[in-house]
C-alpha cells in the first residue's frame, strides 16, 4: 500500500505539478465551451472540471489520466437543460454517478477486452480529427496576428525541448502559453482571449442539493439522460484509459475507474457541476508535459479552481492562439500516423473496422455510436472468419457406413455450413460423427446437431456421436433433443 502511494503520488512531484498547471490552463476554455454547448453558465463546466479532476485523482483506476467536463457529455445535456432547466441537470449528474458506480460493481469495465485494437485506433484517430476541427473556428476570419502566434506557439512547443538543461525541466506547452500571453499584453495585440469566451466565476463552489421533486416523475425525466451520460462517460473513459496504458506501458483498473467516475460525478452534481468523464486531449497534454501520477490529476483540478477564482484577470489575457497551438500539438500527437501505412499491411476487415469507427465518430460527433459500430463490425468479421475454419471431413467410408470428422468451432455463424456438409440422401446403415476435434458453443450449434441426427434417422440410418469434449457434452445434454425420444416425437409431429 505504501509502495503504491509513493509511486502514484510522490515519484514525480515536479513533473506532475508542472503538468497540472498546463492541463489546468488548457481546461479553462474547454470547460467554458462545453458549458455553452450544454446551455448552462460557464461556471457549471468550470466547477465540474475542478471537482471531477480532484475526486478522480483519489478514486480513479488510472493514474495520470485527466477527467473533466467534456463535449461528448455536453451534447447529451442540451435537451434536458432546454426543457427542464439546470436543477434537473444536476439531478441527472448525480444519478449518472450512481449508475456508473453500479457498473463498476458489476465489473462492466472488464468488457473493454472485447474492443479490438482496430476500434481503439479508429477511436484515437477520430478524436484527433475532432480535436483539430474544434480549433478551426479560432483560425477562421481572424487577423494575421492569430496565425503568426499559432505558428510561433507550435514552434515553441516543438523546439523548446531541444534546449539544453532547461528544455527538459519545464513543459514546452507551459512556455508557449506564458510567452504568447506576455507578448500579447506587452504589444497590446488585439486577438481573441480566454476572457472573450465567457465570465469566470469569482467564488468557490458550495455544496447544494438539486432543487427537484423527489418523486417518480422526476426519475422518469432524468433517467434516460443519466443512462446515456453513464454509457458515453464510461465508454470514453475506458477507451482513454486504454490509450494512456499504451503510452505509459502501465496497467489500469477499469472496474475501479468505473466506480471512480461515478463517485466523481455524484460529487460534482452536489457542487453544481455538469457530468463529465476522461478527456483524451487533456490526458495527452498531461502525459506529454511529464505528468504520470495521481498528483498531476489532483493539481490540475486545484490549479484550475485557484486560477479562475483568484487569478481571473490574468487568465482572461491568455490568447486563444496559445491554447490552439497546444491543442493542435495534442491532435498531431494523438493521431496514429502508423495506421496509415498499416492500411497496406493489415487485412481488409481490420481496415474497414478502423475507418468505419473514424468516419462515424467524426460525422456524428458521438463516440458511443462510432465505437458500437466498430465493435459490431469487428465481431461480425471475427464470427465470419471463425465459421469458415469449421470443416466436416468424410474420409472413412464403406458400402454401408460412413464416418464424418468435424473440425473447428460450431456456433450460430457456422451451424448452417455444418448441416450442409452432410449427405442425407446417401443410403447407409450407420453414420459415425467424430466430434473430438470440434467444439459446440451455443444453442444454434446444438440445434444444428439435432437436425443432422434426426434427418439421418428419417432415412433409416443409425447415428453414433463420438469424441465429445466435456463442455460440448454438457451443452448438448442440456439443450439437445436427438437423444430424448419424446422431444423428437414432438418435433416430428410438429407440436
Amino acid at each position: 500500500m505504501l509502495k503504491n502511494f509513493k509511486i502514484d503520488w510522490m515519484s514525480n512531484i515536479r513533473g506532475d505539478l508542472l503538468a497540472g498547471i498546463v492541463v489546468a490552463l488548457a481546461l479553462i476554455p474547454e470547460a467554458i465551451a462545453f458549458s455553452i454547448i450544454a446551455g448552462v453558465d460557464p461556471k457549471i463546466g468550470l466547477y465540474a472540471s475542478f471537482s471531477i479532476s480532484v475526486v478522480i485523482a483519489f478514486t480513479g483506476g488510472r493514474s495520470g489520466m485527466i477527467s473533466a467536463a467534456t463535449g461528448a457529455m455536453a451534447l447529451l445535456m442540451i435537451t434536458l437543460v432546454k426543457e427542464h432547466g439546470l436543477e434537473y441537470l444536476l439531478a441527472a449528474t448525480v444519478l449518472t454517478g450512481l449508475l456508473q458506480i453500479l457498473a463498476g460493481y458489476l465489473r462492466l469495465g472488464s468488457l473493454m477486452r472485447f474492443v479490438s485494437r482496430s476500434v481503439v485506433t479508429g477511436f484515437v484517430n477520430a478524436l484527433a480529427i475532432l480535436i483539430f476541427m474544434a480549433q478551426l473556428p479560432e483560425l477562421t476570419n481572424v487577423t494575421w496576428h492569430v496565425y503568426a502566434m499559432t505558428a510561433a506557439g507550435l514552434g515553441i512547443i516543438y523546439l523548446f525541448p531541444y534546449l539544453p538543461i532547461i528544455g527538459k525541466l519545464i513543459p514546452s506547452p507551459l512556455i508557449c502559453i506564458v510567452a504568447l500571453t506576455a507578448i500579447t499584453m506587452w504589444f497590446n495585440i488585439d486577438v481573441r482571449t480566454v476572457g472573450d469566451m465567457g465570465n469566470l466565476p469569482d467564488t468557490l463552489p458550495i455544496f447544494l442539493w438539486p432543487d427537484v421533486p423527489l418523486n417518480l416523475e422526476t426519475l422518469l425525466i432524468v433517467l434516460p439522460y443519466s443512462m446515456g451520460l453513464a454509457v458515453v462517460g464510461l465508454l470514453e473513459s475506458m477507451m482513454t484509459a486504454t490509450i494512456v496504458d499504451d503510452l505509459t506501458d502501465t496497467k489500469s483498473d477499469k472496474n475501479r475507474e468505473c466506480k471512480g467516475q461515478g463517485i466523481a460525478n455524484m460529487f460534482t452534481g452536489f457542487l453544481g457541476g455538469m457530468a463529465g468523464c476522461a478527456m483524451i486531449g487533456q490526458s495527452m497534454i498531461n502525459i506529454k508535459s511529464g505528468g504520470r501520477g495521481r498528483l498531476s490529476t489532483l493539481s490540475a483540478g486545484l490549479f484550475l479552481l485557484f486560477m479562475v477564482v483568484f487569478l481571473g484577470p490574468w487568465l482572461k489575457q491568455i490568447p486563444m492562439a496559445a491554447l490552439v497551438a497546444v491543442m493542435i500539438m495534442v491532435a498531431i500527437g494523438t493521431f496514429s500516423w502508423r495506421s496509415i501505412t498499416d492500411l497496406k499491411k493489415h487485412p481488409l476487415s481490420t481496415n474497414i473496422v478502423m475507418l468505419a469507427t473514424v468516419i462515424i465518430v467524426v460525422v456524428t460527433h458521438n463516440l458511443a455510436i462510432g465505437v458500437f459500430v466498430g465493435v459490431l463490425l469487428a465481431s461480425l468479421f471475427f464470427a465470419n472468419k471463425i465459421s469458415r475454419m469449421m470443416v466436416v471431413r468424410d474420409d472413412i467410408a464403406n458400402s454401408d457406413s460412413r464416418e464424418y470428422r468435424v473440425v473447428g468451432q460450431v456456433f450460430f455463424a457456422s451451424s448452417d455450413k455444418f448441416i450442409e456438409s452432410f449427405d442425407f440422401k446417401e443410403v447407409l446403415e450407420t453414420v459415425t460423427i467424430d466430434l473430438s476435434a470440434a467444439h459446440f458453443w451455443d444453442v444454434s450449434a446444438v440445434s444444428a446437431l439435432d437436425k443432422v441426427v434426426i434427418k439421418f434417422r428419417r432415412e433409416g440410418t443409425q447415428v453414433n456421436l463420438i469424441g465429445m469434449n466435456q463442455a460440448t457434452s454438457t451443452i448438448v445434454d442440456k439443450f439437445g433433443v436427438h437423444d430424448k425420444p419424446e422431444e423428437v416425437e414432438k418435433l416430428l409431429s410438429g407440436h
Side-chain angles (χ1 to χ4, degrees), residues 419-435:
I419 296 173
E420 294 166 358
S421 300
F422 297 90
D423 183 2
F424 301 106
K425 298 303 181 182
E426 186 178 14
V427 180
L428 298 169
E429 290 185 7
T430 305
V431 166
T432 300
I433 303 178
D434 183 0
L435 304 175

Side-chain angles (χ1 to χ4, degrees), residues 50 78 250 327 331:
F50 150 70
I78 298 173
T250 55
M327 297 311 294

Side-chain angles (χ1 to χ4, degrees), residues 70-109:
T70 65
M73 301 284 271
L75 289 171
L76 300 178
M77 305 170 187
I78 298 173
T79 305
L80 177 61
V81 173
K82 186 179 298 183
E83 296 182 356
H84 300 282
L86 174 62
E87 296 297 333
Y88 279 84
L89 173 59
L90 301 182
T93 298
V94 174
L95 183 56
T96 296
L98 285 172
L99 293 175
Q100 291 178 327
I101 293 172
L102 177 62
Y105 280 106
L106 293 176
R107 304 187 68 79
L108 296 185

Side-chain angles (χ1 to χ4, degrees), residues 14-302:
R14 182 185 61 81
D16 286 345
L17 291 176
L18 290 174
I21 296 174
V22 179
V23 171
L25 291 169
L27 278 174
I28 295 170
E30 297 266 307
I32 296 174
F34 299 149
S35 299
I36 295 171
I37 291 173
V40 296
D41 190 277
K43 70 179 181 182
I44 305 300
L46 290 167
Y47 286 160
S49 296
F50 150 70
S51 61
I52 293 174
S53 294
V54 170
V55 176
I56 205 69
F58 297 95
T59 62
R62 167 72 261 176
S63 59
M65 187 168 74
I66 304 299
S67 295
T70 65
M73 301 284 271
L75 289 171
L76 300 178
M77 305 170 187
I78 298 173
T79 305
L80 177 61
V81 173
K82 186 179 298 183
E83 296 182 356
H84 300 282
L86 174 62
E87 296 297 333
Y88 279 84
L89 173 59
L90 301 182
T93 298
V94 174
L95 183 56
T96 296
L98 285 172
L99 293 175
Q100 291 178 327
I101 293 172
L102 177 62
Y105 280 106
L106 293 176
R107 304 187 68 79
L108 296 185
S110 303
L111 294 177
M112 273 302 297
R113 68 181 185 275
F114 295 110
V115 179
S116 68
R117 176 55 53 181
S118 54
V119 176
V120 174
T121 301
F123 173 84
V124 169
N125 289 347
L127 279 180
I129 294 171
L130 289 177
I131 290 171
F132 179 79
M133 290 174 60
Q135 312 313 310
L136 296 181
E138 299 294 337
L139 299 173
T140 306
N141 298 323
V142 294
T143 63
W144 67 270
H145 305 87
V146 175
Y147 300 112
M149 294 184 71
T150 302
L154 288 170
I156 293 172
I157 289 171
Y158 286 108
L159 297 178
F160 183 80
Y162 290 100
L163 293 179
I165 303 177
I166 192 173
K168 301 296 183 182
L169 292 178
I170 305 175
S172 60
L174 179 59
I175 297 297
C176 166
I177 295 170
V178 173
L180 293 188
T181 302
I183 291 173
T184 301
M185 296 175 65
W186 182 267
F187 293 100
N188 195 26
I189 302 175
D190 185 18
V191 294
R192 183 172 164 84
T193 64
V194 170
D196 297 323
M197 294 286 292
N199 295 324
L200 300 179
D202 55 5
T203 59
L204 297 174
I206 59 173
F207 181 87
L208 54 87
W209 187 269
D211 186 17
V212 296
L214 298 178
N215 53 33
L216 181 60
E217 182 181 356
T218 299
L219 178 63
L220 293 178
I221 290 173
V222 302
L223 182 59
Y225 295 98
S226 295
M227 292 178 66
L229 290 167
V231 171
V232 171
L234 289 182
L235 183 59
E236 187 166 355
S237 297
M238 296 302 101
M239 298 292 283
T240 303
T242 300
I243 295 165
V244 177
D245 288 351
D246 291 342
L247 287 173
T248 60
D249 196 25
T250 55
K251 286 186 177 182
S252 59
D253 186 337
K254 302 296 192 302
N255 293 310
R256 179 181 174 183
E257 185 63 33
C258 290
K259 299 174 190 175
Q261 291 288 336
I263 295 171
N265 277 319
M266 279 190 64
F267 193 86
T268 296
F270 289 126
L271 281 183
M274 56 199 280
C277 61
M279 306 179 74
I280 186 170
Q282 273 62 26
S283 296
M284 290 291 292
I285 292 174
N286 190 46
I287 298 300
K288 290 183 178 298
S289 298
R292 291 294 183 273
R294 295 180 182 273
L295 182 60
S296 63
T297 308
L298 174 64
S299 61
L302 294 177

